[in-house]
Amino acid sequence: MPSLLMFVCLDRLPDYPTIVAVLLGGSHIYSAEDGTDERHASDWDGAIIVSTKLAILHLVNEQRRSLMEILGIVREECPELRVPDPSSSRWDQFDAVRFAGFDRLAIKRSVKILSLDYFSGPKTSLNILSFKDKRIFEASGPRGTRFYRVQQATRLENGLFILHDQWVYATPATVCVHGREASFAAFGVTADLLISGVWLHGRDPYGRLIQDQILANYSALSRQPANIQSFAKYHQFSSKYSSWFNKQLSELNPLSDSPRNGLPCHCPLLGKTFLCAETVTTPDGPFPGSFPQSASLSSQSVELYKQTKASSRFQRPPSVFTSNSTAAEVTLPAEALGEKATKIFCKHSPHAQQEVEGAMNAIAFYPRVQLPHVASSGEMLYPYFDRMTESELRLSFLRSGRSDWHTAEIMLYAELVKAEDMLRAYKKSLTGRSEGRAKTAEQPIHRFFHSRLVQNARFREFYGDSLHIGGKTLSLADFLEIPWNVNGAVYPSLNELFRTAMDVVHPGSWQSMSCPIVFGLGDAHGANIMIASELSPDNSREILYVDYEVAGFHPIMLDLAKPLYIDVFFDTLYMDILPELPETRFEIDGGLINIRFTPYIDDITQAVFDVKRRYLLQPLFELVLSLGGDLEKNITLLSNALFLCATLTRNHGTIPEVFLRNMATGIVFSRAVDLKGFYSCFKTLGVKT
């Protein structure tokens, strides 16, 4: 065991009787063999347990200088951090506070400050007030595997966050070949620290009782006691630390925690690459008026552009992710501005007026929005944002053999932020008031759905009057009348399904009129989300929403449809540009279009779905129920919108396998009329629900 007293000034603790226990962990502590050398310390994390939640406030707000001296911190990470008091609406929204800074060698030191009040209650979720926005944590699994723990966060005012952690992340129980039930389970970030760290003060009775609670929760979920490989950084443990920690675990794990049907099973559990926390509700945060929006162009830059003072103009090549606009990058010279050169993003779209109006409305509900200037040429002028879209990153990930986990982590962070922003916007705008109904029928989002069905406009735009499939040429009229057999299940013809969908998504239909109205971006899928590759000081990544042309007030199910379908079934929608086509067998015979394929959902796709279900759909359904509504009554609207996203978004006519696979994927959704059936459609298509 290394000497740890140099890291914490325990001599000061008697002056602070509310501090009942102190624990220390971190990679340097885990890996040290003999003694410690501060010059080689990479990081350390700790925990302070105080008597009451109110003591957290006093320690951070009123005894801050003493807290820094106890921890050896000379420079704070966030001097603006203040713990809300009990009169604040924030008080009940957090359980613990993360406090961090740097020592005299500029080495990061951080602690989670928790209370005995928290551990005396029934909660196993853990909401942490923090300056740092960390939502995805890598961990080492058994037998050299790797996985990620995913937790949602809520942005608050003054750059603070609430991190939604929990004690244990676990998959549903499965039965191994020996007939034993077990789950793939992992400790949450803070729980892992509280078990694997070293108690410097207060192990008995407080530390031991806390560890017993957490380990009992782990055993209940995993069906077996924790061992050294249950911890995220076990591969960093030195031999001495491993020996000491194994002894600690043997003392902590009671025999009664072993599986009821025998000794712990050593069958390898099929774990998920991404384990999501169960936390599904997000506290009400400040609405976007409290958040800074993305920068707008200066009036000087706009004027110089109008005077054609640009030093260069680069026309962007067409993108597979953009179908109705063109873009260019323009550079304004430094000498014209009296400062460094400025780049402008110029966008030309037939829907420019709608985009300007959408952006102006969006800033009331969404952060990360840019307001365009409109040039006399009709071009929209935006500040240049040199980032990739989520969809571009997704394609890069797929073309790299699905092995670039750094890119996967960036994409998943964007999905978490998007779920947070959409849910917040829905909460602010959700209304059942009838006076807004007339205007919703005029909203441009309907051109994605109802307008494309009128006289089969979109199908004819894509495929003309005939289709060539499997060596046969079929008139469009004949093709649309043929029923489908998808993996053994028979469905009606596309014509029948399109007629049904047209009735359902009509702006005046019962489904549209009864669906709650919200403000949404309408098209917030990955191709319209830009992400910074580098981290900000608070560990977040800069994100920008683009394309506001259908932003407005519309039925919530239509707003959900495109991001839900395109982000979850990205591999299907863009199958034609992937490195290889999955096997799809088809024939048109016996009056049926027969198609067979084996659904395949990779780990990142499953994680995207889990994020949307846990952190957007589930809390949204609960919110509407609390307001006296029931979104399950509008599942038919969502399922038909998903059907149209699959069949009418892209032209796949040149590759029959891709065309039929997308048609079949959409057709599967056409049957859903309730929530159970809705999730059953995802399951049919390979998604674990």
Side-chain angles (χ1 to χ4, degrees):
M1 286 295 301
S3 171
L4 304 175
L5 298 183
M6 69 176 69
F7 290 101
V8 179
C9 184
L10 297 180
D11 293 342
R12 297 293 307 275
L13 294 187
D15 297 332
Y16 304 94
T18 58
I19 297 179
V20 300
V22 178
L23 172 139
L24 196 62
S27 60
H28 179 67
I29 306 303
Y30 298 144
S31 60
E33 287 282 0
D34 295 294
T36 58
D37 182 349
E38 284 187 275
R39 293 170 299 176
H40 298 107
S42 56
D43 74 280
W44 64 262
D45 299 302
I48 292 177
I49 312 299
V50 296
S51 54
T52 65
K53 185 175 180 180
L54 196 59
I56 300 177
L57 181 150
H58 293 316
L59 187 60
V60 176
N61 290 6
E62 301 169 11
Q63 300 167 327
R64 199 182 199 94
R65 179 55 55 186
S66 298
L67 175 61
M68 292 172 64
E69 291 174 359
I70 290 171
L71 300 175
I73 289 175
V74 298
R75 178 169 57 88
E76 291 182 60
E77 178 184 64
C78 180
E80 297 79 20
L81 172 65
R82 291 293 182 272
V83 178
D85 64 42
S87 67
S88 169
S89 61
R90 298 271 176 254
W91 179 253
D92 293 329
Q93 296 175 352
F94 69 93
D95 306 303
V97 174
R98 178 183 174 274
F99 186 84
F102 303 87
D103 67 11
R104 58 186 174 81
L105 297 178
I107 295 170
K108 174 69 76 66
R109 299 185 174 209
S110 67
V111 292
K112 309 282 179 56
I113 308 175
L114 305 97
S115 70
L116 293 180
D117 285 348
Y118 167 75
F119 289 104
S120 66
K123 293 178 67 174
T124 57
S125 60
L126 178 59
N127 296 314
I128 303 169
L129 183 67
S130 171
F131 167 74
K132 189 176 182 180
D133 178 20
K134 179 70 173 172
R135 309 189 190 208
I136 304 169
F137 298 83
E138 185 177 357
S140 296
R143 301 169 181 84
T145 58
R146 177 177 59 183
F147 66 95
Y148 296 83
R149 293 160 294 176
V150 179
Q151 64 183 29
Q152 183 57 297
T154 301
R155 179 185 287 270
L156 303 179
E157 58 274 9
N158 299 325
L160 300 181
F161 297 85
I162 293 178
L163 311 178
H164 304 296
D165 196 6
Q166 66 187 47
W167 290 6
V168 180
Y169 298 54
T171 62
T174 56
V175 179
C176 76
V177 294
H178 304 109
R180 296 187 175 101
E181 264 197 355
S183 294
F184 180 73
F187 289 102
V189 177
T190 305
D192 190 300
L193 173 68
L194 291 171
I195 303 297
S196 64
V198 180
W199 291 99
L200 305 183
H201 171 70
R203 180 180 185 270
D204 295 311
Y206 305 111
R208 177 65 184 262
L209 290 173
I210 290 169
Q211 290 178 319
D212 285 344
Q213 285 181 264
I214 296 171
L215 286 168
N217 181 239
Y218 179 92
S219 296
L221 292 172
S222 67
R223 273 69 168 182
Q224 54 190 353
N227 58 50
I228 197 169
Q229 292 190 10
S230 305
F231 296 86
K233 296 183 178 180
Y234 80 87
H235 65 291
Q236 296 181 9
F237 293 174
S238 67
S239 57
K240 287 190 175 182
Y241 200 90
S242 295
S243 177
W244 171 83
F245 188 51
N246 269 321
K247 183 179 179 181
Q248 296 293 307
L249 280 179
S250 65
E251 294 176 0
L252 287 166
N253 276 318
L255 292 176
S256 59
D257 281 343
S258 296
R260 290 190 297 268
N261 55 348
L263 295 173
C265 184
H266 295 289
C267 287
L269 293 172
L270 182 59
K272 296 168 64 176
T273 302
F274 296 93
L275 281 176
C276 291
E278 291 292 341
T279 306
V280 294
T281 55
T282 303
D284 289 332
F287 295 120
S290 306
F291 294 151
Q293 295 293 344
S294 297
S296 296
L297 284 173
S298 68
S299 57
Q300 183 184 13
S301 296
V302 174
E303 188 59 33
L304 284 171
Y305 177 83
K306 291 179 179 178
Q307 296 173 15
T308 64
K309 298 290 186 179
S311 60
S312 67
R313 182 183 181 95
F314 170 70
Q315 193 71 31
R316 283 193 168 191
S319 168
V320 68
F321 302 119
T322 304
S323 59
N324 62 0
S325 64
T326 58
E329 300 168 16
V330 171
T331 301
L332 300 176
E335 56 269 20
L337 293 167
E339 53 187 43
K340 65 179 181 180
T342 297
K343 293 184 75 172
I344 295 178
F345 179 81
C346 304
K347 178 179 178 181
H348 189 275
S349 167
H351 309 289
Q353 186 58 41
Q354 291 175 329
E355 176 151 344
V356 173
E357 292 175 0
M360 294 178 65
N361 291 325
I363 59 174
F365 297 93
Y366 276 82
R368 318 171 217 280
V369 172
Q370 289 184 338
L371 285 176
H373 289 268
V374 180
S376 56
S377 63
E379 284 185 310
M380 291 174 286
L381 310 180
Y382 289 98
Y384 185 72
F385 190 73
D386 188 16
R387 303 293 185 261
M388 294 180 71
T389 67
E390 181 187 342
S391 290
E392 289 169 333
L393 289 169
R394 185 86 168 261
L395 184 58
S396 172
F397 173 77
L398 295 174
R399 288 176 171 173
S400 73
R402 306 174 197 261
S403 60
D404 182 356
W405 294 109
H406 174 68
T407 297
E409 185 176 334
I410 296 174
M411 291 187 295
L412 201 56
Y413 175 82
E415 282 294 325
L416 288 161
V417 171
K418 183 165 58 176
E420 177 196 358
D421 288 344
M422 290 178 71
L423 184 59
R424 182 186 289 109
Y426 291 165
K427 284 183 176 182
K428 182 177 182 181
S429 62
L430 193 59
T431 175
R433 294 176 298 179
S434 59
E435 57 263 32
R437 293 285 170 182
K439 291 185 177 180
T440 63
E442 303 167 5
Q443 289 292 321
I445 196 172
H446 295 295
R447 65 182 176 82
F448 285 160
F449 302 106
H450 182 261
S451 298
R452 290 177 174 178
L453 289 169
V454 177
Q455 297 181 340
N456 288 325
R458 185 69 159 186
F459 232 67
R460 293 189 181 279
E461 174 192 342
F462 281 167
Y463 310 116
D465 294 324
S466 62
L467 287 161
H468 305 279
I469 301 174
K472 298 180 180 179
T473 298
L474 298 171
S475 70
L476 188 63
D478 289 342
F479 173 80
L480 291 174
E481 291 293 345
I482 305 174
W484 289 68
N485 182 332
V486 180
N487 287 337
V490 177
Y491 297 84
S493 69
L494 280 176
N495 244 355
E496 184 174 340
L497 294 175
F498 283 151
R499 284 193 295 267
T500 299
M502 190 169 183
D503 291 338
V504 170
V505 303
H506 189 284
S509 72
W510 180 89
Q511 280 285 335
S512 293
M513 296 295 288
S514 66
C515 188
I517 299 299
V518 295
F519 185 90
L521 298 177
D523 205 15
H525 55 83
N528 291 331
I529 310 294
M530 302 189 78
I531 318 165
S533 57
E534 66 276 6
L535 292 172
S536 300
D538 63 2
N539 205 73
S540 65
R541 295 181 188 277
E542 190 176 1
I543 286 176
L544 177 68
Y545 296 106
V546 298
D547 284 0
Y548 319 114
E549 62 191 49
V550 297
F553 288 90
H554 34 245
I556 199 167
M557 293 308 203
L558 295 186
D559 194 71
L560 287 167
K562 289 196 75 174
L564 182 57
Y565 184 82
I566 294 175
D567 293 338
V568 174
F569 294 100
F570 182 93
D571 291 23
T572 301
L573 188 63
Y574 294 101
M575 190 183 296
D576 54 314
I577 59 173
L578 298 187
E580 56 185 31
L581 291 177
E583 183 180 9
T584 302
R585 300 188 301 276
F586 65 90
E587 63 176 354
I588 301 176
D589 186 50
L592 285 173
I593 298 172
N594 298 286
I595 178 170
R596 286 196 170 272
F597 57 90
T598 301
Y600 171 73
I601 298 295
D602 65 7
D603 290 334
I604 189 64
T605 300
Q606 182 65 50
V608 167
F609 172 80
D610 287 343
V611 166
K612 291 182 184 294
R613 180 175 65 86
R614 292 176 188 269
Y615 307 134
L616 179 57
L617 295 178
Q618 191 170 332
L620 177 60
F621 274 64
E622 292 172 357
L623 173 64
V624 173
L625 277 175
S626 73
L627 296 174
D630 186 358
L631 282 180
E632 187 163 8
K633 295 178 180 178
N634 301 109
I635 285 293
T636 302
L637 181 59
L638 178 56
S639 61
N640 276 271
L642 294 177
F643 161 62
L644 298 178
C645 287
T647 54
L648 303 180
T649 296
R650 297 190 67 224
N651 183 343
H652 293 112
T654 59
I655 308 176
E657 293 89 345
V658 177
F659 170 73
L660 294 173
R661 181 75 167 261
N662 276 273
M663 297 299 115
T665 301
I667 286 169
V668 167
F669 277 107
S670 67
R671 280 188 172 175
V673 296
D674 55 27
L675 196 57
K676 182 179 179 181
F678 174 71
Y679 284 127
S680 178
C681 293
F682 281 95
K683 190 173 182 180
T684 297
L685 294 165
V687 181
K688 297 173 184 176
T689 59

